């Protein structure tokens, strides 16, 4: 192992061991396919061994959906790859939540063998206090998982230069941008980057392009470094036939979402008609309720943040998130709003942000005191067809 690689492992290990050892420390290692996630997680396990703390190794690949779910949007669908590959509800229920604060400590490492396309009956295990979970996989900074990590790592490697594509020679094989598989996997990563910006969420970002000379990207240096990386990456993502003007979504939901999809994503939440009240343990991004499109001419998707009195938000942020925080989240995917609509509504002041794409409109409903933008809070996000 080179000194540079050892230094990165030391840096990550020190950050892990600095966290309280009273419970289980949950560490997520994220990156594109072939970024070196499994390799780094295994090396980190070995680096942590002298601490005497038990290490639980797991992978998101043991929580795949079966083929009918993975391919329900088509065998080569980019959106299907991003949205339907994994059973995140089971991942949280069986592994991440039991190892989190207030959890039972009893967990399972796997539910599915993706190669055989069959469920597996992994034994239930019990974590010792002070254990460390090291879980590697793609898409680990999705909204459903962000609050599950005590520490997370994002490995920066361009998909077209991933170590899986380089093989033994170290030289990347050419990318066939017309190939259906390229459309699926590269397009799915594009959706993830646009919606989640994992490098902004990660505790530690590692440039892992050169396995012998990786380095930690310091937080203050990320902006310029990311600009140099993302520009060529986004150009590489301009694949003929990959829709650049796809449907509008928020937290992975849009006008094409149906009740079956929402119920599968939030299995412990309560459904009333076409409305789902998200259970506190399944809530993310301050989401409290989801009105699912009914397919009629007045169809809409509404994601509500407002919580009734006495119903606390899981992150302790109060009844509503700030308008600015939700706006930043949407801007990562769609840029600045096309317009801001301001008007008085009863005793409050509304200042809605609007985005449009194709025949759809996304509206962020914000309210507060007039001429005081810092006071604005977010009530809901609504997506509607423009021809309604």
């Amino acid at each position: 192992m080179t000194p540079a690689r050892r230094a990165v492992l030391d840096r990550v290990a020190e950050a892990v061991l600095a966290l309280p050892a009273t419970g289980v420390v949950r560490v997520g290692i994220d990156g594109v396919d072939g970024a070196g996630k499994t390799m780094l997680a295994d090396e980190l396990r070995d680096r942590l061994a002298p601490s005497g703390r038990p290490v639980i190794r797991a992978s998101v690949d043991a929580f795949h959906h079966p083929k009918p779910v993975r391919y329900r949007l088509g065998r080569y669908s980019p959106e299907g790859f991003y949205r339907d590959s994994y059973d995140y509800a089971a991942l949280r229920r069986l592994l991440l939540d039991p190892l989190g604060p207030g959890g039972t400590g009893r967990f399972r490492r796997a539910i599915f063998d993706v190669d055989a396309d069959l469920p597996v009956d992994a034994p239930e295990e019990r974590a010792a206090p002070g254990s460390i979970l090291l879980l590697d996989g793609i898409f680990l900074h999705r909204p459903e998982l962000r609050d599950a990590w005590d520490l997370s790592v994002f490995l920066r490697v361009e998909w077209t230069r991933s170590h899986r594509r380089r093989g033994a020679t170290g030289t990347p094989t050419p990318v066939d941008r017309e190939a259906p598989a390229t459309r699926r996997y590269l397009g799915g990563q594009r959706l993830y980057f646009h919606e989640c910006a994992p490098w902004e969420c990660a505790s530690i970002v590692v440039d892992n392009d050169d396995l012998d000379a990786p380095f930690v990207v310091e937080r203050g240096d990320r902006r310029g470094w990311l600009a140099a990386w993302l520009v060529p990456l986004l150009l590489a993502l301009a694949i003929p036939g990959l829709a650049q003007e796809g449907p509008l979504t928020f937290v992975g939901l849009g006008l094409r979402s149906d009740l079956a999809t929402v119920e599968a994503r939030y299995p412990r939440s309560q459904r009333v008609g076409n409305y789902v009240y998200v259970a506190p343990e399944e809530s993310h991004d301050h989401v409290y309720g989801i009105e699912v499109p009914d397919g009629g001419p007045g169809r809409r998707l509404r994601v509500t943040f407002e919580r009734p009195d006495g119903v606390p938000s899981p992150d302790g942020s109060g009844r509503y998130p700030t308008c600015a925080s939700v706006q930043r989240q949407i801007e990562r995917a769609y840029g600045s709003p096309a317009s801001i609509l301001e008007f008085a509504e009863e005793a409050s002041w509304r200042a809605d942000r609007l985005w449009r794409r194709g025949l759809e409109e996304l509206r962020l409903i914000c309210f507060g005191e007039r001429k005081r933008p810092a006071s604005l809070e977010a009530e809901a996000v609504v997506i509607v067809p423009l021809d309604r």
Side-chain angles (χ1 to χ4, degrees), residues 4 22 28 37 50 77 142 147 151 191 207 219 229 310 329 354:
T22 50
K37 303 179 294 296
S77 165
R142 290 174 60 108
D147 66 347
L151 184 141
L191 286 170
D207 187 309
R219 189 165 293 275
W229 170 49
Q329 182 177 350
L354 280 69

Side-chain angles (χ1 to χ4, degrees), residues 105-125:
R106 296 188 294 271
F107 68 95
R108 299 181 190 273
R109 300 182 198 229
I111 63 165
F112 201 78
D113 181 337
V114 69
D115 295 324
D117 197 43
L118 291 171
V120 297
D121 186 18
E124 184 178 85
E125 304 176 62

